Amino acid sequence: MEKTVFLVILLSVTVSKASVVCNETSMTVAVEKASIVGLYEDHLRLNDPSCSLSSNSSHVFRTLALNTCGTQLEEEEDNLIFRNEITSFEDSSAVITKRDEMEIEFWCVYPKKGNVSLEFLAHKIPYIFREKGFGKFTYQFEFYHSSSFNRMVDPASYPVEVELKEMVYMEITSTSSVPNTEMFVESCMATPTDNPNDPEHYSIIQNGCKKDETVQIYSSSQSQFHFAMEAFKFIGMHDQVYISCAVVLCETGNTNTRCAQGCINDTTATTPQHRQEREAALETNPHYISQGPLRVRRSADTKGNADVALNLNLLFIAGSFLAAVAMVCGVVMYRSRESKDKYQP
């Protein structure tokens, strides 16, 4: 089942018409050539410039998976929104242009609850949030190969295979439309499933403090957080680990923010009322992001086990159609319920 949504976007002095068709795993955008006179597919690109556009006699178009081409994820109370945009550009050596600048944002809306089967690749795309006073900001969570953080684990290789006690290197990055902001990672935990509400979980960072003795936190910038820990597995039949973190964005340099407090224990933690008052003006609400899975490599994997591992790269979640076509994405973060820590080093 598909539904087409027509968008009319004002761009400089021109009006562009774009249609978006959304389905279970992808979205297709098509722009009428008649509304972008003087611009061709060679002058247009998506968020990820490596994703090229195609054209026919009447339209410029592209079909893209929901987790490719620089698509970003925005979370609302009831919905998840996958956003991308088409923008115009000039050759890097050009110093002038005789074309109107163009920017066409398009999106698909998916509710968090529904009943239509949906399939996504495991690797999570950037999360988008919007809050009063902080505008639009994004978080991205990635695994890296070493403590130099110069080579990211290829998203196509997920699940990420690791050995027990091997160091796992992680980076969380923020971008913001508002200057003078800094990011703070308040907590991180591990779960054996892609569900932070899983009653079986293990705390890695809590209240900004290291909980696992193997955690290493590296020197980072205001918009990046680098950390690492030894790989482990949950006791039982589980061979996968997902990492979820609560992240806060604050006004830079203000000593009254959660970011400025750093590591605090339970006895000195800010009261909920004081925290709420500060958040309204100086910091965002905590937002939950995740990445994974990490898969503990077995010593004697058979071919059958390898086939099962390949299937683990897909998440099946429920959805239903809303607006374009409304369905659920499995990257929603929730605060974890209390549970006894249980893991195997």
Side-chain angles (χ1 to χ4, degrees), residues 2-5 20-22 107-109 321-326:
E2 296 181 347
K3 186 173 180 180
T4 302
V5 178
V20 182
V21 177
C22 307
W107 60 89
C108 288
V109 181
F321 287 90
L322 173 70
V325 61

Side-chain angles (χ1 to χ4, degrees), residues 220-233:
S220 305
S221 66
Q222 292 179 337
S223 62
Q224 288 184 324
F225 181 70
H226 292 141
F227 65 115
M229 67 175 298
E230 287 185 1
F232 59 83
K233 64 175 292 186

Side-chain angles (χ1 to χ4, degrees), residues 3-148:
K3 186 173 180 180
T4 302
V5 178
F6 290 94
L7 310 175
V8 178
I9 303 102
L10 288 175
L11 308 165
S12 271
V13 295
T14 65
V15 176
S16 297
K17 285 188 177 180
S19 63
V20 182
V21 177
C22 307
N23 62 29
E24 289 85 351
T25 59
S26 66
M27 52 186 170
T28 300
V29 59
V31 183
E32 291 185 11
K33 284 186 172 181
S35 65
I36 55 170
V37 177
L39 286 170
Y40 304 95
E41 64 270 22
D42 317 8
H43 308 131
L44 303 172
R45 63 186 174 194
L46 295 162
N47 280 346
D48 182 352
S50 66
C51 290
S52 59
L53 293 158
S54 301
S55 69
N56 56 26
S57 60
S58 59
H59 288 82
V60 175
F61 58 89
R62 169 79 192 213
T63 297
L64 56 151
L66 296 177
N67 60 345
T68 59
C69 296
T71 300
Q72 296 179 322
L73 174 62
E74 179 177 353
E75 180 179 354
E76 295 181 338
E77 184 176 354
D78 299 317
N79 304 314
L80 296 170
I81 306 172
F82 289 82
R83 294 182 181 272
N84 209 313
E85 62 182 4
I86 298 174
T87 54
S88 59
F89 71 98
E90 293 290 340
D91 186 278
S92 58
S93 61
V95 293
I96 67 166
T97 181
K98 295 184 178 180
R99 304 186 184 92
D100 287 327
E101 292 184 353
M102 189 189 75
E103 182 177 322
I104 299 176
E105 185 178 14
F106 59 96
W107 60 89
C108 288
V109 181
Y110 302 81
K112 296 178 181 177
K113 296 181 180 179
N115 55 19
V116 174
S117 176
L118 184 63
E119 177 182 286
F120 283 101
L121 289 175
H123 177 264
K124 309 298 191 304
I125 61 178
Y127 294 78
I128 308 176
F129 300 98
R130 286 181 172 87
E131 283 195 28
K132 184 178 180 181
F134 285 87
K136 171 185 170 182
F137 53 97
T138 68
Y139 296 126
Q140 178 66 0
F141 193 162
E142 296 290 355
F143 294 121
Y144 278 77
H145 288 282
S146 71
S147 59
S148 61

Side-chain angles (χ1 to χ4, degrees), residues 141-272:
F141 193 162
E142 296 290 355
F143 294 121
Y144 278 77
H145 288 282
S146 71
S147 59
S148 61
F149 296 97
N150 58 6
R151 191 162 67 93
M152 188 179 80
V153 174
D154 184 355
S157 68
Y158 281 55
V160 180
E161 291 204 344
V162 294
E163 303 282 355
L164 283 176
K165 302 191 74 174
E166 176 186 344
M167 290 302 291
V168 178
Y169 301 93
M170 294 164 277
E171 176 189 85
I172 298 175
T173 304
S174 68
T175 60
S176 175
S177 58
V178 175
N180 301 318
T181 58
E182 60 180 317
M183 178 183 66
F184 179 69
V185 177
E186 190 170 50
S187 66
C188 290
M189 65 178 176
T191 54
T193 64
D194 193 19
N195 176 15
N197 279 332
D198 195 313
E200 190 168 12
H201 66 264
Y202 177 69
S203 183
I204 300 170
I205 296 174
Q206 185 175 320
N207 292 328
C209 307
K210 297 186 290 186
K211 295 291 288 183
D212 181 276
E213 62 183 10
T214 69
V215 170
Q216 296 181 19
I217 297 176
Y218 299 87
S219 177
S220 305
S221 66
Q222 292 179 337
S223 62
Q224 288 184 324
F225 181 70
H226 292 141
F227 65 115
M229 67 175 298
E230 287 185 1
F232 59 83
K233 64 175 292 186
F234 285 88
I235 294 172
M237 297 301 293
H238 309 294
D239 65 352
Q240 295 193 123
V241 175
Y242 292 83
I243 309 296
S244 302
C245 296
V247 188
V248 178
L249 201 65
C250 307
E251 178 184 301
T252 302
N254 193 307
T255 58
N256 295 318
T257 65
R258 180 65 188 90
C259 300
Q261 286 182 313
C263 170
I264 55 177
N265 57 44
D266 293 338
T267 59
T268 60
T270 307
T271 63

